[in-house]
Amino acid sequence: MGRGPGGGERPAGDERVAAGAARAAAGTEDSASPVVSGAPVIQRAVWTYNASTRTHDVMGGQRPGVWQEDGNPQHTATSAQLGAGSQAHHGDKYDDATGRHFGSGNVAFSQRGTIPDTPQAHRDGTAYKEREAHVRQALVETKRRLATAITMVSASDAPSGRVLDALRSGFPDFQRATPQQIQPLLPHVAEVLRRIQTGLDAEGAQIALAGETAWYDLGALGSNQANVAGWVAPTVGERLNPHDKKSEKLPTMDAGREGAINLRSLGENVWYIVHEATHRFAGTLDYQYSPYEHELNEDRADTGTAQTLGWSRQKLEEYSADRLGKRVARDADQYTGQDESAHPAKQLNWYAMGPRALMNADSYAQFVVVATGGTLPRR
């Protein structure tokens, strides 16, 4: 959940082919695609569907919108020209190098609880509509990043470069393993990611945008706390028999969870969508929430100090040595099994998860974000 009730709440045709070939020859790159260090450079164009360009024909019917090439919005194409299908939703993305359409139209959105209007809400009518538009964009970006991450961990070779760094960031125990030792575990990582990809792509997948929930909404108990980003309702069995977080026996991916992914405003981004989707579709638990943001803040502070005082790289490394020394894998028997919310207890628990990270929701969120271009904390 994201941190909150139940399931893992966390705190705070031809024309197209010809056009693609021409762009490849011209060397056009997709500036909006996640940057993956060490991966081969693929010449491609990514398009965004603009529904606001719809027009009416002489018979009064409505023509569909157009796709605009990212980085060159004046270059447009129809769905038929791209081969992208006719069910595009505003903000969808189409990658002509892979022929994949990343959309949000399959997802059923709903409101849970009370979402008060804001002074800015007049633009689209209600605050809920603004949130839905924002989450649809985040969902499309999530699907794109998931596809990239799955490709990265599905390679036959032992991991290296950016993907290895991201694996060791999201699954700290991998710091102690060679790429060859990590390789046999990649099918498990790939399977979790495929399950959430399949779930998010399924017709009728559900996302509920949550506001202030009623006291009698038993599926949202605890969700009104300020640090709740989202949740997935647990099964009855999970409610009656909570998981033993200290156990090294990993839960099944077939957890039997149903219903919507619930998102609060805090959770309307790639990280939390991945996090909650692992609960909903792959049965992960919240062994420990990540210290990722705290570590990035530490890095920013250290780098800022070094720049202000004109330190050398060596001086910076000496200054940061103590903090960086806490970002290393610890023995799994040091894991507390508790919901450690405050730094440094959270950080210590994160690095002591051991194999449990293979079924830890935040581990997959961190891996997907970092592997597809997110900032990698220093080591």
Side-chain angles (χ1 to χ4, degrees), residues 110-115 208-213 217-220 231 260 262:
S110 63
Q111 177 175 329
R112 186 166 195 165
T114 302
I115 300 177
L209 306 184
E212 292 295 315
T213 54
D217 185 348
L218 300 182
W231 75 95
N262 301 273

Side-chain angles (χ1 to χ4, degrees), residues 49-66 86 88:
Y49 185 71
N50 187 348
S52 68
T53 60
R54 290 174 178 157
T55 58
H56 290 84
D57 58 30
V58 293
M59 300 300 291
Q62 192 175 56
R63 294 192 179 103
V66 299
S86 59

Side-chain angles (χ1 to χ4, degrees), residues 196-215:
I196 64 177
Q197 181 185 59
T198 299
L200 291 175
D201 282 341
E203 199 64 39
Q206 303 172 65
I207 291 180
L209 306 184
E212 292 295 315
T213 54
W215 63 268

